[in-house]
Amino acid sequence: MTHEHIVQAFDDELDDLIAKVLEMGNRAQKQLNESITSLLEQDLDLAQKVISDDRTIDQLELEVATAATEIFALRQPMAADLRSIVAAFKISSDLERIGDHAKNIAKRTATMKQVPLVAEVGSNLRHASKLVEIMIEDVLQAFVRRDAEAAIKVLRADQEVDQLYTSMFREILTYMMEDPRYITASTHLLFIAKNIERMGDHATNIAEQVYYVKMGHYFEGERENADQAATVIVE
Amino acid sequence: MTHEHIVQAFDDELDDLIAKVLEMGNRAQKQLNESITSLLEQDLDLAQKVISDDRTIDQLELEVATAATEIFALRQPMAADLRSIVAAFKISSDLERIGDHAKNIAKRTATMKQVPLVAEVGSNLRHASKLVEIMIEDVLQAFVRRDAEAAIKVLRADQEVDQLYTSMFREILTYMMEDPRYITASTHLLFIAKNIERMGDHATNIAEQVYYVKMGHYFEGERENADQAATVIVE
């Protein structure tokens, strides 16, 4: 191969790698959306679909890891390209975890069908889920464009998710106190709320990787942690 | 530099990288142990120490990422060495998360001091924590020795942690039903139990990396998931 051909082959491999990460991201975002829909509409078929579809994301993570490792070995990438590949590798782990959380929400759909639901929490769950879906979309676009400023915006957006989670935590605890019949359902709702909050954290991890690709060093601003659920007491 | 010097320099860099991962692992294991001690002995000073010490683990994760990226760029490692570096990079993320979970447990120590504690759960928490500490220790030794069989043992050990978590989940839910005064404390205990269960999952992620370093492909046996908490209903 001529030098030009080698450069072209490397560019193609890098594009393929990034395309796989984007496919993972789009799937993870869809899984989140469908898991909340399955829960709120008590749609067991959709829940089952979310659970099965998670395998595709798991498989894509292995493909990203394998492709990234091959590029390290064969192409000796440098500078921003090297950082993009390192980032793709790390980002794929976060997206795989987002998929796991969606699967976990879907698993609880069947459980929630059997116990009285605290309906008031539903709209907050949907709101939090929408915020996280937007974070995932924005951070993937920032990754493609190597846009550090857009990444920092995603980092900041997570505060709203954390605050919403903390207030849902308090709200759900209050329902439990008021009526013990809600305890099982409420406990599962707490974990569903936590799943969404964790997905937001994974989106911020991805944002940190995007920042690193662009800047060549890790983000040093303090990551504000607005999740105060660990200190909530309801008397 | 002569060829011999270059080989020696590479070996030293790889040893340094693995030493950093081990230091992270030892710290993560200690953080887990101390977080449970701080909780069960209501030791706020120890809890505060766990929270502050987490920063060191975070810092080490960045050092591992930076060192691994430099080795990719400068040394073009191949075969098992390449896989070890990729694995070190991934393992450091799991160890960082184990540290985060320990910090989260420590944060709840102060909250638990203010609400009536369900003492019976304490011994199960300690038991689960010990199992996970042993998993972390075993999987780090397996990483150093590139021992795939030992890694598979760690994968299997996680089933016991998952089962213990599921039974704690049911137990804690039952306490909540019996006496609403326990609801706040019990909810925090549920999340603490979940933190320990997640640390076990991270140890199994590390085990999968060890398997990959040795074998050159990812573990294909189905990972048994014995965590059934998502389906628990207590009437």
Side-chain angles (χ1 to χ4, degrees):
Chain A
M1 281 205 288
T2 65
H3 178 68
E4 226 165 60
H5 281 125
I6 292 172
V7 169
Q8 186 56 48
F10 171 62
D11 285 347
D12 290 349
E13 285 166 13
L14 192 53
D15 287 349
D16 283 352
L17 186 72
I18 289 171
K20 267 198 211 310
V21 171
L22 292 183
E23 189 192 339
M24 283 188 80
N26 293 336
R27 283 179 177 272
Q29 192 187 12
K30 184 158 169 273
Q31 293 278 90
L32 164 55
N33 186 293
E34 291 183 350
S35 69
I36 296 296
T37 302
S38 80
L39 178 81
L40 298 182
E41 299 180 4
Q42 304 258 297
D43 183 339
L44 287 184
D45 291 337
L46 186 59
Q48 196 48 56
K49 179 178 174 292
V50 170
I51 293 167
S52 326
D53 284 357
D54 184 53
R55 268 179 240 131
T56 311
I57 297 182
D58 291 351
Q59 183 55 40
L60 280 165
E61 187 197 10
L62 293 186
E63 288 177 23
V64 168
T66 306
T69 308
E70 277 173 13
I71 300 178
F72 289 139
L74 300 177
R75 304 292 176 193
Q76 288 103 45
M78 300 293 285
D81 286 340
L82 173 60
R83 293 197 300 275
S84 277
I85 299 161
V86 168
F89 186 64
K90 266 211 126 112
I91 290 169
S92 70
S93 302
D94 283 296
L95 293 172
E96 189 272 333
R97 283 297 302 150
I98 291 175
D100 282 350
H101 286 293
K103 182 170 79 169
N104 204 281
I105 292 171
K107 276 187 187 170
R108 292 188 199 265
T109 292
T111 310
M112 298 293 288
K113 233 184 144 94
Q114 300 171 59
V115 285
L117 181 71
V118 188
E120 292 87 339
V121 181
S123 67
N124 276 338
L125 283 177
R126 177 60 85 189
H127 180 43
S129 151
K130 282 281 167 216
L131 290 175
V132 174
E133 283 171 51
I134 292 166
M135 287 172 73
I136 297 170
E137 189 165 321
D138 288 351
V139 83
L140 289 173
Q141 283 190 24
F143 176 54
V144 171
R145 298 197 313 268
R146 294 182 180 174
D147 183 340
E149 272 184 50
I152 292 175
K153 275 192 194 152
V154 173
L155 285 173
R156 304 239 157 94
D158 193 44
Q159 283 188 50
E160 194 179 342
V161 177
D162 283 352
Q163 282 159 3
L164 200 51
Y165 167 64
T166 306
S167 80
M168 279 192 281
F169 189 94
R170 186 180 292 279
E171 193 184 350
I172 296 168
L173 225 57
T174 308
Y175 286 123
M176 286 170 146
M177 301 274 186
E178 285 170 359
D179 192 337
R181 281 176 307 157
Y182 292 152
I183 286 179
T184 291
S186 297
T187 301
H188 290 294
L189 281 177
L190 278 174
F191 277 89
I192 289 164
K194 182 69 187 173
N195 281 319
I196 299 174
E197 188 272 332
R198 286 295 307 149
M199 293 191 220
D201 289 345
H202 286 290
T204 66
N205 290 347
I206 297 172
E208 288 183 341
Q209 290 299 315
V210 172
Y211 182 91
Y212 157 78
V213 170
K214 175 70 183 177
M215 309 298 279
H217 60 88
Y218 290 98
F219 183 68
E220 280 169 11
E222 193 56 41
R223 257 178 76 161
E224 306 268 347
N225 192 343
D227 165 12
Q228 298 295 329
T231 63
V232 167
I233 296 175
V234 178
E235 303 287 357
Chain B
M1 282 205 288
T2 66
H3 178 69
E4 225 165 62
H5 281 127
I6 292 171
V7 170
Q8 186 57 47
F10 171 62
D11 286 348
D12 290 349
E13 285 165 13
L14 192 54
D15 288 349
D16 282 354
L17 185 72
I18 290 171
K20 267 199 214 306
V21 171
L22 292 182
E23 190 191 338
M24 282 188 82
N26 293 335
R27 283 180 177 273
Q29 192 187 13
K30 187 159 168 270
Q31 293 279 90
L32 164 56
N33 185 293
E34 291 183 349
S35 69
I36 296 296
T37 302
S38 80
L39 178 80
L40 298 181
E41 298 181 5
Q42 304 257 296
D43 183 341
L44 288 184
D45 291 336
L46 186 59
Q48 196 47 58
K49 180 178 171 296
V50 171
I51 293 167
S52 325
D53 284 358
D54 185 52
R55 268 180 240 132
T56 310
I57 297 181
D58 290 351
Q59 184 54 39
L60 280 165
E61 188 198 11
L62 293 186
E63 289 177 23
V64 168
T66 306
T69 307
E70 276 174 11
I71 300 178
F72 289 138
L74 300 176
R75 304 292 177 194
Q76 288 104 43
M78 299 294 284
D81 286 340
L82 173 61
R83 294 196 299 274
S84 278
I85 299 162
V86 168
F89 186 65
K90 265 214 128 110
I91 291 170
S92 70
S93 301
D94 284 296
L95 293 172
E96 191 271 334
R97 283 297 303 151
I98 291 176
D100 282 350
H101 286 293
K103 182 170 81 171
N104 203 282
I105 293 172
K107 276 187 187 171
R108 292 187 199 266
T109 293
T111 311
M112 298 294 288
K113 233 185 143 96
Q114 301 169 58
V115 285
L117 182 71
V118 188
E120 293 86 339
V121 182
S123 68
N124 276 339
L125 284 177
R126 176 60 84 187
H127 180 43
S129 150
K130 283 280 167 215
L131 289 175
V132 174
E133 285 171 51
I134 292 167
M135 286 172 74
I136 297 170
E137 190 165 320
D138 288 351
V139 84
L140 290 172
Q141 282 190 23
F143 176 53
V144 172
R145 297 196 313 267
R146 295 181 177 175
D147 183 340
E149 274 185 47
I152 292 174
K153 275 192 193 154
V154 173
L155 285 173
R156 304 238 156 94
D158 193 45
Q159 285 190 48
E160 195 178 342
V161 177
D162 283 352
Q163 283 159 2
L164 201 52
Y165 167 64
T166 306
S167 79
M168 280 192 281
F169 189 94
R170 186 179 290 281
E171 194 184 349
I172 296 169
L173 225 57
T174 308
Y175 286 123
M176 286 171 145
M177 301 274 186
E178 287 170 358
D179 192 336
R181 282 176 305 157
Y182 292 151
I183 286 178
T184 291
S186 297
T187 301
H188 290 294
L189 280 177
L190 278 174
F191 278 89
I192 289 165
K194 183 69 188 173
N195 283 137
I196 298 175
E197 188 271 333
R198 285 295 308 149
M199 292 191 221
D201 288 345
H202 286 291
T204 65
N205 290 347
I206 297 173
E208 288 183 341
Q209 290 299 315
V210 172
Y211 182 91
Y212 157 77
V213 171
K214 174 70 182 177
M215 310 299 278
H217 60 89
Y218 290 98
F219 183 69
E220 281 169 10
E222 193 56 40
R223 259 177 73 162
E224 306 268 348
N225 191 345
D227 165 11
Q228 299 295 329
T231 63
V232 167
I233 296 175
V234 177
E235 304 286 356

